[in-house]
Amino acid sequence: MTSEPSGRISRRSVLRLSTAGAGILAASSVLAACAPQSDGRGSGGDPSATAGTDTPIGGLTLALPSSISTLDISREAGILNYVVATLAQESLLSISPDGKLEAGLAESWKQPDAKTYVYTLRRDAVFSDGSPVTTDDVLASIDAARDKASMLAYAWSNVASVKATGAREITITLTTPDAAFVWTPTPGTLLISSKAFLTKNRGKVGTAKTLLLGSGPYKVTSFAADDHVQFERNDHWWGDKPSLKALKLSFVPDAGTRLVAMKSSSVDGALDLASDEARSWTPTADVTYTGDRSVVALAFDSSQAPFDDVHVRRAVAHAADRAGMVDGILHGKAEAASTLVSPQMWGELMTPAEVKKGYADLPDLAYDLDAAKAELARSGHPDGFTVDLTYPNSGPQLGKAALALASSLKKLGITLNVKEVTLESWIADLVPGKKPLQFLWYFPVTGDPAELTDPYLGSAATATNLAHLKNATVDKALAEAKKTTDTAARGKLLMTALQAAAEDLPYLPLWWAQTATALAKDLVLEDTGPFAFVGPWATRLKRAA
């Protein structure tokens, strides 16, 4: 399947915030290769939503709920890192807010066979320092992503070669077919900088001294890891000139401080608000909620006691009142989850009816303290145990859920010690084997269920499989899903993997979330959707009509 050059960007309007998936894969005669594309960047939203005007905006300040320690997503890949970095840097392909693959620095792309992907670079792309984007820059950026020190290397492990095969052409060849690779040259696992910049600043990219160099609509002008990141419009950008000239993202971890700043007009809004916090912003700002396909789950390390005992895992599952968490903690702004992959991520792989049927066959883990006590009695720890659980300070809703679970587990004789840590510390601890019980809080950055199934369920994924799951049925289904040329068959295989894994209960899914954005009443964010913040979202900030 070959895409057509998209030309200049046209935008239709909608409203929203976040970063997650809307799985859309289409099969060609060779392989599920190119995803359906919309007409232009971010054009996939609700056309009935309120549009803004093109009135120039001199500058805005928005609050983020936590700080980041680096601008480089290859060294820290939390959701807020993407919110920041994708304003300045682009990838070969982009993802529209509603989850479709679109042109990025590649104006077109094709897949001549099951293992080969060819990308043609646009002629008008330049970096913010005025230098043109070349094939050498793309090759250097992919090399940086593939480096063993990069957090993105896992996504490129199946790549046999990356070559310039023309003046504006890049060809990537895989070792074995992988239907999900179509999503790899997107912002989630590749952001492009210049070869000269990467060579000069090796190991230092993304610091306060080096910042970032990219071809996106904005350039970073200052960064303080504990305070802010500042942007100015990049007038070299190939896309339409944004209305917003300057943007400051302030790191404000305390919820009360954020609200006071909004009321005093020190900030013009906030991103990624927790549901209970967002309710208090409504008199002052316009608050928008959107399902973002993100999942919150507990990861049980099955290689460590006490969670090497499936009856312990089931006891904890039955003690978790997930529906109560959604209603009481999230005020209904979420959906109780039955598996890691949200129902909306299946795209063309499965119909909604097929997904519903597949999820109905998952084990019933309803809140039931009697069932929890019975499972614990059958375990090797009938008298209970003590375990720690940390959560990031940017996710107070996770902390409240942990405390609610601790209250239930206390009735079983289980002590759950709940502790808040910084987002950076929490991300650093997300390593298999580090802790027996962890939160998994994941925002998909592609539109494919395999983004969650492959790294978190496959036994070969030793760097990401927090549960240490080893299930032959799961591994076989995931391996066959990579190779199949049939879209429907691939969907069934991924569903088989989810169902087989659920029997072992490696993770306890709690909820699929919604995210809240608050903006001053004279502002709108156009073209929102589950992927709205994995791309140049600030270009869609407008004055309200």
Side-chain angles (χ1 to χ4, degrees), residues 78-332:
I79 182 57
L80 296 184
N81 298 83
Y82 286 99
V83 169
V84 171
T86 55
L87 292 181
Q89 294 180 294
E90 300 178 289
S91 190
L92 286 173
L93 304 182
S94 64
I95 302 178
S96 71
D98 63 335
K100 296 181 177 66
L101 282 181
E102 297 184 328
L105 288 178
E107 65 181 9
S108 65
W109 66 101
K110 61 186 178 180
Q111 186 183 12
D113 61 57
K115 296 191 294 184
T116 306
Y117 298 79
V118 181
Y119 304 87
T120 301
L121 301 184
R122 59 175 64 252
R123 297 178 185 275
D124 53 351
V126 297
F127 292 108
S128 59
D129 65 357
S131 61
V133 177
T134 68
T135 56
D136 283 346
D137 299 317
V138 176
L139 294 178
S141 298
I142 293 177
D143 283 346
R146 297 176 69 187
D147 187 273
K148 64 181 181 180
S150 169
M151 294 184 67
L152 311 177
Y154 72 92
W156 299 87
S157 61
N158 189 31
V159 171
S161 67
V162 183
K163 299 178 180 179
T165 49
R168 295 187 297 116
E169 186 178 273
I170 297 288
T171 298
I172 300 176
T173 304
L174 305 186
T175 303
T176 58
D178 182 356
F181 182 81
V182 66
W183 297 96
T184 298
T186 61
T189 44
L190 177 66
L191 289 177
I192 293 170
S193 189
S194 82
K195 180 179 179 179
F197 179 82
L198 294 173
T199 301
K200 179 181 178 181
N201 299 295
R202 183 176 177 83
K204 299 180 292 183
V205 172
T207 65
K209 291 184 178 180
T210 61
L211 304 178
L212 293 176
L213 177 64
S215 57
Y218 292 90
K219 57 184 177 182
V220 182
T221 57
S222 68
F223 169 56
D226 59 348
D227 189 73
H228 76 280
V229 57
Q230 183 83 40
F231 296 89
E232 289 183 3
R233 188 170 59 206
N234 172 22
D235 290 332
H236 293 294
W237 189 45
W238 56 268
D240 292 340
K241 184 177 180 179
S243 300
L244 177 62
K245 183 176 181 180
L247 173 66
K248 181 178 181 180
L249 297 177
S250 292
F251 307 138
V252 189
D254 182 71
T257 303
R258 283 195 295 272
L259 183 56
V260 169
M262 184 68 190
K263 289 181 176 180
S264 65
S265 299
S266 297
V267 300
D268 300 286
L271 310 182
D272 200 28
L273 293 175
S275 299
D276 54 349
E277 178 190 356
R279 287 156 56 93
S280 61
W281 284 63
T282 50
T284 309
D286 284 333
V287 178
T288 303
Y289 296 89
T290 302
D292 57 20
R293 277 72 161 180
S294 67
V295 63
V296 171
L298 290 176
F300 302 120
D301 189 339
S302 61
S303 70
Q304 296 188 56
F307 299 110
D308 55 351
D309 189 324
V310 69
H311 297 293
V312 169
R313 303 198 293 269
R314 290 173 183 166
V316 174
H318 282 299
D321 184 3
R322 292 176 291 172
M325 293 175 185
V326 168
D327 291 339
I329 297 172
L330 304 171
H331 306 287

Side-chain angles (χ1 to χ4, degrees), residues 8-22:
R8 286 286 177 180
I9 297 308
S10 62
R11 297 184 178 89
R12 294 195 292 273
S13 57
V14 247
L15 266 135
R16 159 43 211 154
L17 138 217
S18 177
T19 193

